[in-house]
Amino acid sequence: MGFGDDLMTTAKARQAKKSHPHHKILIGDGKREYLSPIFWHNPYIDHLVFTKPTDNVLWIRDYPGHRPYLDYQKSTHTKQVFKKCRASPGNIFFTRQEIKKAKKALGNIRSFIVIEPNVDQKLFGKNRDWGFHKWQKVVDTLNYHIGFVQLGNRNSKTLKGVTRLFTSNFRQACAILSFAKLFAGTEGGLHHAAAAIGIPGVIIFGGRISPQTTGYRLHTNLYNDHPESPCGMLSPCDHCKQCMDKISIRQVIDVIRTKFYRHP
């Protein structure tokens, strides 16, 4: 999941730093450090270049190819198998310049929902795709009294009726997200970012992975508890499509409306 995984890692780093305040907390395999833009300015994460031989070091072994929620021995090239592991909200720390740039991009936009209808189609992306046309129906129904903002680069498909703010990187998108009242989208990087920032969300999981693994209590997680769920399939999957089809447009509209007006 890329940045989403890295955000989950920051929660482990925070917990480790609080338990071992006098240790240097590094992310990696015990020798090599794993770096991510998500870790920038994070007071809970230290870096190898600033570590002395006399320092007490605690390594967080959470990096690509070594994620704690995946059972690599049971997983195959077509299917992921998940361990019993519950995500905690992570952290992302912004600079003043990043916040200033986000405010400038938003201008006079206030009290809005960040919506993300697109999913990365690589690997299991199609199994997380609720359907662009369904997201369009959500906006068509609600945009008369709720403002929607869509982020992302210029290559991603844009919904009609939203304010489109083009972002050049994930951190910039997250800085804008930090001013939102709500996030609506599928399971992925921005839903992890919303949790880290403390933004309520309506998250569509479908049936590929369970919110018991990568979901947050702050969010309303729409998941189909089918006997085959979570299937963990990497290639396009009929089960995942059926699970997505069972999440209705009306259900998503009602949850978004309720959560939007519930939170000040």
PDB file of all heavy atoms in Angstrom, residues 171-182:
ATOM      1  N   ARG A 171       2.247  14.299   0.308  1.00  0.00           N
ATOM      2  CA  ARG A 171       2.269  15.169   1.478  1.00  0.00           C
ATOM      3  C   ARG A 171       1.432  16.425   1.237  1.00  0.00           C
ATOM      4  O   ARG A 171       0.721  16.887   2.139  1.00  0.00           O
ATOM      5  CB  ARG A 171       3.704  15.546   1.854  1.00  0.00           C
ATOM      6  CG  ARG A 171       4.509  14.432   2.497  1.00  0.00           C
ATOM      7  CD  ARG A 171       5.861  14.961   3.010  1.00  0.00           C
ATOM      8  NE  ARG A 171       5.681  15.947   4.062  1.00  0.00           N
ATOM      9  CZ  ARG A 171       5.637  15.671   5.363  1.00  0.00           C
ATOM     10  NH1 ARG A 171       5.780  14.431   5.778  1.00  0.00           N
ATOM     11  NH2 ARG A 171       5.468  16.628   6.254  1.00  0.00           N
ATOM     12  N   GLN A 172       1.511  16.970   0.048  1.00  0.00           N
ATOM     13  CA  GLN A 172       0.715  18.149  -0.270  1.00  0.00           C
ATOM     14  C   GLN A 172      -0.778  17.829  -0.188  1.00  0.00           C
ATOM     15  O   GLN A 172      -1.569  18.604   0.356  1.00  0.00           O
ATOM     16  CB  GLN A 172       1.066  18.656  -1.668  1.00  0.00           C
ATOM     17  CG  GLN A 172       0.332  19.935  -2.061  1.00  0.00           C
ATOM     18  CD  GLN A 172       0.620  20.370  -3.483  1.00  0.00           C
ATOM     19  OE1 GLN A 172       1.290  19.680  -4.238  1.00  0.00           O
ATOM     20  NE2 GLN A 172       0.109  21.537  -3.856  1.00  0.00           N
ATOM     21  N   ALA A 173      -1.162  16.661  -0.709  1.00  0.00           N
ATOM     22  CA  ALA A 173      -2.562  16.239  -0.622  1.00  0.00           C
ATOM     23  C   ALA A 173      -2.993  16.087   0.837  1.00  0.00           C
ATOM     24  O   ALA A 173      -4.096  16.498   1.217  1.00  0.00           O
ATOM     25  CB  ALA A 173      -2.754  14.934  -1.381  1.00  0.00           C
ATOM     26  N   CYS A 174      -2.127  15.514   1.659  1.00  0.00           N
ATOM     27  CA  CYS A 174      -2.452  15.313   3.077  1.00  0.00           C
ATOM     28  C   CYS A 174      -2.600  16.638   3.817  1.00  0.00           C
ATOM     29  O   CYS A 174      -3.458  16.774   4.702  1.00  0.00           O
ATOM     30  CB  CYS A 174      -1.386  14.457   3.749  1.00  0.00           C
ATOM     31  SG  CYS A 174      -1.358  12.749   3.194  1.00  0.00           S
ATOM     32  N   ALA A 175      -1.773  17.628   3.466  1.00  0.00           N
ATOM     33  CA  ALA A 175      -1.857  18.942   4.112  1.00  0.00           C
ATOM     34  C   ALA A 175      -3.205  19.593   3.816  1.00  0.00           C
ATOM     35  O   ALA A 175      -3.828  20.202   4.696  1.00  0.00           O
ATOM     36  CB  ALA A 175      -0.719  19.832   3.642  1.00  0.00           C
ATOM     37  N   ILE A 176      -3.695  19.457   2.589  1.00  0.00           N
ATOM     38  CA  ILE A 176      -5.017  19.982   2.247  1.00  0.00           C
ATOM     39  C   ILE A 176      -6.094  19.173   2.959  1.00  0.00           C
ATOM     40  O   ILE A 176      -7.058  19.733   3.504  1.00  0.00           O
ATOM     41  CB  ILE A 176      -5.228  19.966   0.720  1.00  0.00           C
ATOM     42  CG1 ILE A 176      -4.252  20.933   0.046  1.00  0.00           C
ATOM     43  CG2 ILE A 176      -6.672  20.329   0.367  1.00  0.00           C
ATOM     44  CD1 ILE A 176      -4.245  20.861  -1.467  1.00  0.00           C
ATOM     45  N   LEU A 177      -5.935  17.869   2.987  1.00  0.00           N
ATOM     46  CA  LEU A 177      -6.886  16.988   3.677  1.00  0.00           C
ATOM     47  C   LEU A 177      -7.041  17.378   5.143  1.00  0.00           C
ATOM     48  O   LEU A 177      -8.130  17.232   5.719  1.00  0.00           O
ATOM     49  CB  LEU A 177      -6.412  15.538   3.559  1.00  0.00           C
ATOM     50  CG  LEU A 177      -7.191  14.464   4.321  1.00  0.00           C
ATOM     51  CD1 LEU A 177      -8.626  14.373   3.835  1.00  0.00           C
ATOM     52  CD2 LEU A 177      -6.495  13.106   4.181  1.00  0.00           C
ATOM     53  N   SER A 178      -5.990  17.895   5.755  1.00  0.00           N
ATOM     54  CA  SER A 178      -6.035  18.231   7.183  1.00  0.00           C
ATOM     55  C   SER A 178      -7.054  19.326   7.503  1.00  0.00           C
ATOM     56  O   SER A 178      -7.432  19.508   8.657  1.00  0.00           O
ATOM     57  CB  SER A 178      -4.650  18.651   7.680  1.00  0.00           C
ATOM     58  OG  SER A 178      -4.275  19.920   7.164  1.00  0.00           O
ATOM     59  N   PHE A 179      -7.531  20.050   6.473  1.00  0.00           N
ATOM     60  CA  PHE A 179      -8.538  21.102   6.681  1.00  0.00           C
ATOM     61  C   PHE A 179      -9.943  20.618   6.364  1.00  0.00           C
ATOM     62  O   PHE A 179     -10.902  21.375   6.494  1.00  0.00           O
ATOM     63  CB  PHE A 179      -8.208  22.320   5.809  1.00  0.00           C
ATOM     64  CG  PHE A 179      -6.980  23.059   6.269  1.00  0.00           C
ATOM     65  CD1 PHE A 179      -5.747  22.795   5.695  1.00  0.00           C
ATOM     66  CD2 PHE A 179      -7.050  24.005   7.280  1.00  0.00           C
ATOM     67  CE1 PHE A 179      -4.606  23.456   6.115  1.00  0.00           C
ATOM     68  CE2 PHE A 179      -5.926  24.673   7.715  1.00  0.00           C
ATOM     69  CZ  PHE A 179      -4.690  24.396   7.137  1.00  0.00           C
ATOM     70  N   ALA A 180     -10.087  19.370   5.938  1.00  0.00           N
ATOM     71  CA  ALA A 180     -11.390  18.845   5.549  1.00  0.00           C
ATOM     72  C   ALA A 180     -12.237  18.488   6.766  1.00  0.00           C
ATOM     73  O   ALA A 180     -11.717  18.216   7.856  1.00  0.00           O
ATOM     74  CB  ALA A 180     -11.225  17.622   4.652  1.00  0.00           C
ATOM     75  N   LYS A 181     -13.523  18.440   6.552  1.00  0.00           N
ATOM     76  CA  LYS A 181     -14.441  18.002   7.601  1.00  0.00           C
ATOM     77  C   LYS A 181     -14.622  16.494   7.565  1.00  0.00           C
ATOM     78  O   LYS A 181     -14.946  15.869   8.573  1.00  0.00           O
ATOM     79  CB  LYS A 181     -15.788  18.709   7.406  1.00  0.00           C
ATOM     80  CG  LYS A 181     -16.719  18.630   8.585  1.00  0.00           C
ATOM     81  CD  LYS A 181     -17.927  19.532   8.388  1.00  0.00           C
ATOM     82  CE  LYS A 181     -18.871  19.426   9.583  1.00  0.00           C
ATOM     83  NZ  LYS A 181     -20.064  20.283   9.390  1.00  0.00           N
ATOM     84  N   LEU A 182     -14.392  15.900   6.375  1.00  0.00           N
ATOM     85  CA  LEU A 182     -14.637  14.476   6.188  1.00  0.00           C
ATOM     86  C   LEU A 182     -13.848  13.997   4.981  1.00  0.00           C
ATOM     87  O   LEU A 182     -13.585  14.763   4.056  1.00  0.00           O
ATOM     88  CB  LEU A 182     -16.137  14.242   5.949  1.00  0.00           C
ATOM     89  CG  LEU A 182     -16.676  12.814   5.968  1.00  0.00           C
ATOM     90  CD1 LEU A 182     -16.714  12.268   7.392  1.00  0.00           C
ATOM     91  CD2 LEU A 182     -18.081  12.762   5.368  1.00  0.00           C
TER      92      LEU A 182
END
